[in-house]
Amino acid sequence: MSSRRPVFVSTLALALGLLGTCASALIVPMTGWVPVGGNTNVWTDTSGACLLSEELSAQAFPALASQKEALAFASKLHIQLSKSVDTVVIQPVDRAGDWGVLAAYNYKKGADTFKVSQLYLGDAGKLRTVTGSSANAEKGNCVNEMREFIRYLAD
């Protein structure tokens, strides 16, 4: 039996061959979202259809100071992600003078496919990711809320 619940995707390890550790608490401003098991680095909506998580890697990762730096990282990330996931789309995003990279892709686990949105940022010299996932066919309000949060608000 397959599960349609969103999955926690540690693409720090998936894309870059790293083991991530949790960062300080992720602030999720969406109404009704709650920490999973009291862990404020992993959040879900009330229906359980969408999942948000944050990871901080031990890997050194300086802030991306320009769009050019973000594009260079995006290119490398696209190559790495394309080796293990489908339909990869990547773009640089401006975060108040610093730059991040936003990735969207399909992740398969068994017979299920999940839509993943992931933001890569430099945080005090370390790589931090904010990741959202939902089942491929999920159409609930949480999907757009989650994607908009990752695209425009997470930093």
Side-chain angles (χ1 to χ4, degrees), residues 17-84:
L18 304 171
L19 296 176
T21 58
C22 290
S24 60
L26 178 64
I27 297 170
V28 177
M30 284 97 69
T31 303
W33 285 67
V34 295
V36 175
N39 180 351
T40 55
N41 292 319
V42 182
W43 291 73
T44 189
D45 69 305
T46 53
S47 72
C50 296
L51 188 71
L52 268 169
S53 63
E54 177 183 46
E55 289 182 286
L56 182 65
S57 170
Q59 176 188 6
F61 188 84
L64 301 170
S66 68
Q67 185 177 24
K68 184 177 178 179
E69 289 179 13
L71 283 167
F73 176 70
S75 178
K76 292 175 188 174
L77 182 61
H78 189 275
I79 291 166
Q80 290 301 315
L81 283 173
S82 295
K83 293 177 182 177
S84 56

Side-chain angles (χ1 to χ4, degrees), residues 2 13 60 128 150:
S2 64
R128 183 166 61 94
I150 293 169

